[in-house]
Amino acid sequence: MNRIVEKRQIAPKIHEMVVEAPPVAAKAQPGHFVIVMADERGERVPLTVADYDRGRGTITLILMAVGTSTIKLAEMKAGDDLFAFIGPLGHASQLDDFGTVVMVAGGVGTAPIFPIARALREKGNRVISIQGARTRELLFWQDRLASVSDEHVITTDDGSFGRKGLVTEPLKECLERRPNGEIGCVYAIGPAVMMKFCSKTTEPFKVKTIVSLNTIMVDGTGMCGGCRVNVGGETRFTCVDGPEFDGHLVDWDELLKRQKIYIKEEKCSLDQYLETVEKP
Amino acid sequence: MSGPEQKPRKKIVPKKTPMPEQDPKVRVGNFNEVPLGYTSEQAVQEASRCLQCKKPLCVEGCPVDVDITGFLTLVKEGEFAAAARKIKETNALPAICGRVCPQESQCEARCVLSKKWDPLAIGRLERFVADYERENHLIELPEKKPPTGRKIAIVGSGPSGLTVAGDLILLGYDVTIFEAFHKPGGVLMYGIPEFRLPKDIVEKEVEYLLNLGVKLQLNSVIGKSITIDELLDGKYFDAVFIGVGAGLPSFLGVPGENLGGIYSANEYLTRSNLMKAYRFPEYDTPIVRGKTVCVVGGGNVAMDSARTARRLGADNVYIVYRRSRKELPARLEEIHHAEQEGIVFKMLSNPVEFTGDEHGMVRRIRCQEMELGEPDASGRRRPIPKEGCFFEIDTDLVIIAIGGGANPVLTKSTRGLELNKWGYIVADPSGRTTRPRVWAGGDIVTGSATVIEAMGAGRRAANDIHACLSDSQTEPWLPEKKDSP
């Protein structure tokens, strides 16, 4: 059992949760993920580490309440105990000195991008962050991301804040403005379709592009293969070979389809859950 | 009249006392256990078939040396709880072994009766006495040896780890089991289905060890959360036993294998058994339910997957296996149960491609027909593809049950642990690895095998750990006894 020490809603459906887990906090690095279960009947939900505090022994997670499992987690309060908390899992980010890096965050992707951006800046990289959301009220952690960035661009699909449009536009401009290998690496983390188009955007510029995949998982330790993904023609497991991969090598269409395997079941589960909570 | 002929001959009962089972038509609609177990009368009747051999061969067939004739005598006398305790002298998990051991190739294969008649139903009786003891609340904790002051870490709470824990706790060690999942039991929990091994029985057997004083730390992925180095140097464990299982599923490597609705058996069974997806949406983890299901492979795991799919509503379930019926690695009993439940065996068939629909869900499997050639390294006849002979099955769920390899999470993070070319840990027969103070056993050493073989490895490792830790003269690398932090 791991205690939730802080819990707040930071945007519609988006929740920040600080969990007491000293052994995990002691080991967590940018890029790692954890697996969380709300209760005994819950799913094992993989969430990328958004921050960690070794002194307090805590891990910070950001989650979007969209299905039964994430809604259950979002409804928990400070002082509640998670049924299970496992990690840190996966490989940590490779924190090299790339020169200039572009960190593209889409939606809740801001959460995992933040500690990676911070660490890359500490390594001496110049950090350009591009943070996108559908609309203004879905933006969060702008200040935190700005505090670890040399440049910080915000986009919204509807133009309600920052630049109107998708993150791929400032990304493309950024690459065009800085040719000749000035940008050593692009990180793109967010919804799969956003990572796909960021990878497509950087491909002609031949800039190394790293994505962090959030595939469906069960155990998170390489045992089941549910998180398998085709990278460069080879089947890899996101949990133990990733979660970060070269975005230019990922078979995005296969990945997008694999994320929809349980669409029917997810709806069925959610309907049933909402019915039980509404009729006490 | 001369010597041996004078001895009055025991009347031989040629057949095993049958064990009642759930009717196949009924059981495909539920996850309850299939065999229902003996009654007391049936148990006594079956135990009375034992010839009480002076040199019982059955015991030689048991990897953990259960005193079989000893416990059978007690059954015959109606002393069922005492019989269970007799087994527990050398086997802490009789309710599990009575259900999942391949007795037909171990104790029962060696039974003298089996030369002409049915062997004694040792497995059924083991199950009976363990159930009797548990259901009647007669479980007694055996006496433990005084504390040795030594601490043992066990990685993995499957059959080998539980055996090491059960042995060493009785010898006075301070034992902690580390388990990666949120529930203990390893393959007994995530792999073997409820209808073959009810999970409350696994929980009860683990509870027995916890009552003996074994400590259990769940949600601990050794190699990630904590490393072996940290267990030995930071947490002051005197020895570590690694029993993590094989833990890496194999796939076929054919086109279309990453379509939705194609599972490794590990994933399919973990979803159903550990996460209880068979009770979705009461439990949150979903599972794809197919109407026509193909299970690729011919071992016990393939049978478990096929029978699970049947219970989850499949009308047609095929076992697709590349050799012939004779080579099926599954236990006869499992094959028999699968057939009773209407599972169809497509022998000498090898999948070559999967195709899906526009949503990326599997819809068809294409197989090549095979024929058998000369025996290969495993002694089984090698399957050879028949040129130009293909067939297809429309399917909406595929489960790949072709075994697996060695999971690298722990082994790659541990210094000084020699691995073989397949990534399994190199260990001697007593489980000693190349790393001082580290033992290993079960599937992470041998590759996929059986529950009882893993338990046998656990037994040998426990004996060796005890021998080493009680006599530091023989093992120069053993550390001075440390104080716990």
Side-chain angles (χ1 to χ4, degrees):
Chain A
M1 293 279 193
N2 291 75
R3 174 129 321 160
I4 300 170
V5 291
E6 286 174 43
K7 167 72 200 2
R8 66 181 78 89
Q9 185 164 359
I10 54 175
K13 293 191 177 176
I14 302 176
H15 299 258
E16 179 178 338
M17 182 185 270
V18 181
V19 182
E20 203 170 64
V24 185
K27 292 253 164 106
Q29 302 280 349
H32 277 142
F33 71 94
V34 294
I35 282 192
V36 179
M37 284 176 83
D39 58 44
E40 201 182 350
R41 296 187 173 197
E43 278 184 282
R44 292 170 65 95
V45 181
L47 293 168
T48 314
V49 169
D51 206 354
Y52 44 86
D53 184 332
R54 299 200 209 286
R56 284 174 77 200
T58 58
I59 296 283
T60 302
L61 301 171
I62 298 285
L63 59 101
M64 194 169 199
V66 286
T68 305
S69 297
T70 42
I71 291 175
K72 272 186 177 179
L73 288 167
E75 282 171 351
M76 295 181 82
K77 298 177 192 67
D80 290 348
D81 289 322
L82 290 164
F83 178 70
F85 192 87
I86 303 114
L89 298 171
H91 289 291
S93 306
Q94 211 187 320
L95 302 169
D96 293 336
D97 187 355
F98 296 105
T100 299
V101 292
V102 183
M103 310 299 291
V104 192
V108 286
T110 299
I113 275 280
F114 166 70
I116 305 171
R118 181 177 60 192
L120 285 170
R121 191 139 183 258
E122 281 165 8
K123 284 269 166 190
N125 288 280
R126 184 178 157 74
V127 174
I128 302 170
S129 296
I130 301 170
Q131 183 178 4
R134 267 192 294 117
T135 186
R136 175 181 192 153
E137 60 178 356
L138 291 172
L139 285 164
F140 64 93
W141 282 18
Q142 302 96 302
D143 296 351
R144 295 181 93 173
L145 191 54
S147 73
V148 298
S149 308
D150 296 280
E151 280 178 49
H152 181 220
V153 180
I154 293 180
T155 67
T156 50
D157 296 7
D158 62 1
S160 53
F161 192 84
R163 255 182 87 156
K164 181 174 162 56
L166 302 172
V167 287
T168 44
E169 292 159 25
L171 172 62
K172 185 158 180 253
E173 290 165 18
C174 200
L175 292 160
E176 282 165 349
R177 274 206 309 276
R178 295 177 178 78
N180 312 322
E182 192 187 321
I183 293 171
C185 181
V186 171
Y187 256 90
I189 308 182
V193 70
M194 167 262 174
M195 294 191 280
K196 171 184 171 176
F197 284 103
C198 286
S199 301
K200 296 257 178 261
T201 303
T202 60
E203 205 162 12
F205 296 92
K206 298 191 169 58
V207 177
K208 177 185 170 92
T209 300
I210 301 168
V211 295
S212 176
L213 303 182
N214 193 359
T215 51
I216 292 167
M217 292 186 189
V218 184
D219 62 290
T221 61
M223 215 196 74
C224 84
C227 64
R228 63 196 190 274
V229 55
N230 186 327
V231 181
E234 270 178 55
T235 292
R236 311 289 298 275
F237 291 178
T238 304
C239 64
V240 289
D241 299 322
E244 293 181 2
F245 292 104
D246 182 337
H248 296 153
L249 298 179
V250 171
D251 181 338
W252 292 103
D253 295 335
E254 181 186 288
L255 180 93
L256 284 160
K257 281 179 178 160
R258 283 193 66 82
Q259 290 195 331
K260 293 182 183 144
I261 293 173
Y262 299 105
I263 270 199
K264 265 193 319 211
E265 288 82 1
E266 281 161 9
K267 188 177 177 311
C268 157
S269 170
L270 184 58
D271 290 348
Q272 193 238 220
Y273 177 70
L274 294 176
E275 202 171 294
T276 54
V277 288
E278 274 157 22
K279 285 185 221 153
Chain B
M1 282 206 276
S2 61
E5 299 299 319
Q6 280 181 330
K7 203 171 138 192
R9 277 219 160 178
K10 189 179 160 92
K11 190 173 174 291
I12 303 284
V13 181
K15 290 279 177 203
K16 274 186 184 179
T17 309
M19 177 159 57
E21 286 183 350
Q22 270 201 82
D23 184 278
K25 283 192 208 70
V26 175
R27 72 189 192 224
V28 295
N30 67 51
F31 274 79
N32 300 335
E33 194 173 11
V34 169
L36 300 172
Y38 278 157
T39 60
S40 302
E41 294 71 33
Q42 287 167 328
V44 172
Q45 183 191 328
E46 179 62 22
S48 306
R49 291 180 64 226
C50 177
L51 300 179
Q52 290 291 324
C53 305
K54 283 272 170 336
K55 280 189 187 159
L57 294 173
C58 51
V59 181
E60 290 174 18
C62 176
V64 294
D65 308 313
V66 167
D67 178 359
I68 296 168
T69 42
F71 102 78
L72 290 174
T73 303
L74 290 163
V75 176
K76 207 159 61 180
E77 291 163 359
E79 299 292 333
F80 305 135
R85 282 170 210 142
K86 174 61 78 182
I87 299 175
K88 282 184 173 174
E89 287 173 8
T90 58
N91 178 353
L93 313 169
I96 293 171
C97 290
R99 288 171 164 84
V100 303
C101 266
Q103 289 97 7
E104 67 280 5
S105 58
Q106 294 180 157
C107 52
E108 293 182 18
R110 309 290 295 274
C111 174
V112 171
L113 284 173
S114 71
K115 288 186 181 147
K116 274 174 105 168
W117 304 280
D118 279 1
L120 201 84
I122 299 166
R124 292 173 184 180
L125 289 168
E126 180 180 30
R127 169 194 160 138
F128 168 77
V129 296
D131 288 355
Y132 181 90
E133 187 197 29
R134 185 184 67 256
E135 285 162 8
N136 293 289
H137 309 288
L138 297 170
I139 293 177
E140 279 177 14
L141 294 181
E143 200 114 332
K144 288 198 282 184
K145 293 262 163 63
T148 62
R150 299 285 200 177
K151 289 174 68 178
I152 313 295
I154 294 171
V155 186
S157 63
S160 69
L162 293 178
T163 302
V164 176
D167 284 3
L168 293 183
I169 196 78
L170 291 181
L171 291 167
Y173 290 88
D174 180 335
V175 178
T176 306
I177 303 180
F178 295 88
E179 164 59 42
F181 271 130
H182 54 279
K183 285 207 169 130
V187 73
L188 306 169
M189 210 64 191
Y190 74 75
I192 303 175
E194 179 79 18
F195 54 80
R196 209 148 72 75
L197 178 62
K199 298 309 146 214
D200 61 347
I201 289 176
V202 180
E203 279 164 14
K204 283 279 160 42
E205 304 245 32
V206 173
E207 197 181 292
Y208 169 75
L209 295 178
L210 300 185
N211 288 337
L212 280 170
V214 171
K215 288 172 255 181
L216 174 65
Q217 199 171 317
L218 297 172
N219 302 316
S220 301
V221 183
I222 302 301
K224 288 283 179 191
S225 319
I226 315 171
T227 62
I228 298 281
D229 293 344
E230 287 166 329
L231 289 177
L232 286 169
D233 304 331
K235 300 216 179 270
Y236 305 98
F237 283 99
D238 295 289
V240 174
F241 174 80
I242 301 171
V244 293
L248 189 75
S250 286
F251 287 93
L252 295 158
V254 302
E257 204 169 11
N258 291 348
L259 286 163
I262 302 183
Y263 287 114
S264 72
N266 269 2
E267 180 178 4
Y268 187 70
L269 294 173
T270 301
R271 281 181 181 270
S272 181
N273 301 329
L274 178 76
M275 306 309 295
K276 302 226 183 298
Y278 72 90
R279 287 165 69 179
F280 177 88
E282 187 189 338
Y283 282 72
D284 297 339
T285 302
I287 195 163
V288 172
R289 293 176 183 235
K291 281 291 161 203
T292 300
V293 180
C294 291
V295 178
V296 182
N300 290 325
V301 173
M303 302 305 140
D304 285 346
S305 303
R307 297 172 68 198
T308 298
R310 187 88 169 99
R311 283 162 175 75
L312 287 173
D315 297 325
N316 309 298
V317 183
Y318 299 102
I319 293 273
V320 177
Y321 180 59
R322 60 191 187 135
R323 290 185 161 100
S324 75
R325 193 181 172 89
K326 222 178 91 199
E327 288 81 23
L328 277 174
R331 289 182 68 192
L332 275 178
E333 187 186 332
E334 304 308 325
I335 298 167
H336 173 65
H337 277 146
E339 284 184 323
Q340 282 183 331
E341 292 169 14
I343 313 288
V344 177
F345 288 74
K346 293 262 182 201
M347 295 294 137
L348 293 164
S349 307
N350 196 36
V352 291
E353 189 181 7
F354 302 99
T355 44
D357 62 16
E358 70 276 20
H359 304 296
M361 300 296 288
V362 69
R363 286 296 170 256
R364 188 168 295 162
I365 175 173
R366 183 173 161 83
C367 297
Q368 182 157 28
E369 291 177 23
M370 310 293 275
E371 55 194 350
L372 291 180
E374 294 299 307
D376 64 11
S378 72
R380 295 176 300 175
R381 291 178 66 192
R382 187 194 307 274
I384 301 166
K386 272 163 90 172
E387 198 79 31
C389 298
F390 296 91
F391 67 94
E392 293 183 340
I393 306 172
D394 286 338
T395 183
D396 47 8
L397 173 60
V398 174
I399 300 149
I400 313 286
I402 57 169
N407 188 307
V409 167
L410 179 139
T411 53
K412 287 280 166 64
S413 70
T414 308
R415 286 182 292 118
L417 202 57
E418 193 183 323
L419 307 179
N420 69 18
K421 64 177 170 176
W422 299 282
Y424 294 104
I425 297 174
V426 173
D428 75 4
S430 57
R432 273 189 220 191
T433 70
T434 53
R435 167 94 187 245
R437 297 154 68 201
V438 177
W439 281 258
D443 285 5
I444 193 58
V445 172
T446 57
S448 298
T450 60
V451 167
I452 190 69
E453 283 169 295
M455 290 178 62
R459 161 67 34 80
R460 292 189 298 276
N463 288 342
D464 196 48
I465 291 169
H466 180 52
C468 285
L469 293 189
S470 358
D471 179 12
S472 56
Q473 297 300 306
T474 57
E475 284 305 323
W477 43 262
L478 277 171
E480 288 301 309
K481 200 161 156 182
K482 288 174 189 152
D483 291 325
S484 294

